[in-house]
Amino acid sequence: MTADDNDKERGLRRDLVLAGVLIAAGVALSGLSLTQIDTRTGGLQFAQATPQPPSSTPGAEHRPAASEDAQPTGARPHDIPPQPARPDQDAVQSGARPALPPAPPEKIGEPIKPKGG
């Protein structure tokens, strides 16, 4: 072996030792940080809910049973007509309040004209 090969081998060995020392220092620093965090929090704490027995809807025992002609969930009954959002003038005079506030003037446009006219 020549002197040049020995220098390369020594340099490689020195680089490997330096890399090992840096890795060991990083692992040690990480371990110290984790133990410091653990001592601050007082150990691991787990939140656990107490098991509740399964129950039905509250107040279900006070309600009457569903009839056979009941509508499926989400279906609107057909015997009740939909109510307008803005009641007519007679209802307003009798005290009914509109469900929606009046639209601001800048949001009201011209009436839609019928086609062909």
Side-chain angles (χ1 to χ4, degrees):
M1 289 191 132
T2 64
D4 200 28
D5 289 339
N6 285 337
D7 287 343
K8 285 183 183 179
E9 192 173 313
R10 247 186 260 135
L12 179 62
R13 184 173 293 143
R14 186 187 56 198
D15 289 347
L16 288 175
V17 169
L18 182 62
V21 168
L22 288 175
I23 289 174
V27 169
L29 188 60
S30 297
L32 287 173
S33 298
L34 288 174
T35 55
Q36 187 178 13
I37 290 172
D38 189 38
T39 57
R40 282 187 190 168
T41 60
L44 294 176
Q45 298 175 355
F46 293 102
Q48 181 177 358
T50 56
Q52 301 273 339
S55 63
S56 63
T57 306
E61 60 273 357
H62 300 296
R63 294 184 189 153
S67 62
E68 293 176 7
D69 61 342
Q71 295 287 330
T73 305
R76 187 180 178 128
H78 297 288
D79 55 346
I80 302 173
Q83 301 296 319
R86 302 188 191 286
D88 57 358
Q89 199 63 359
D90 295 334
V92 171
Q93 289 176 352
S94 66
R97 297 182 55 197
L100 300 173
E106 62 268 9
K107 298 285 182 175
I108 299 174
E110 297 180 13
I112 298 174
K113 299 174 184 174
K115 288 185 177 181

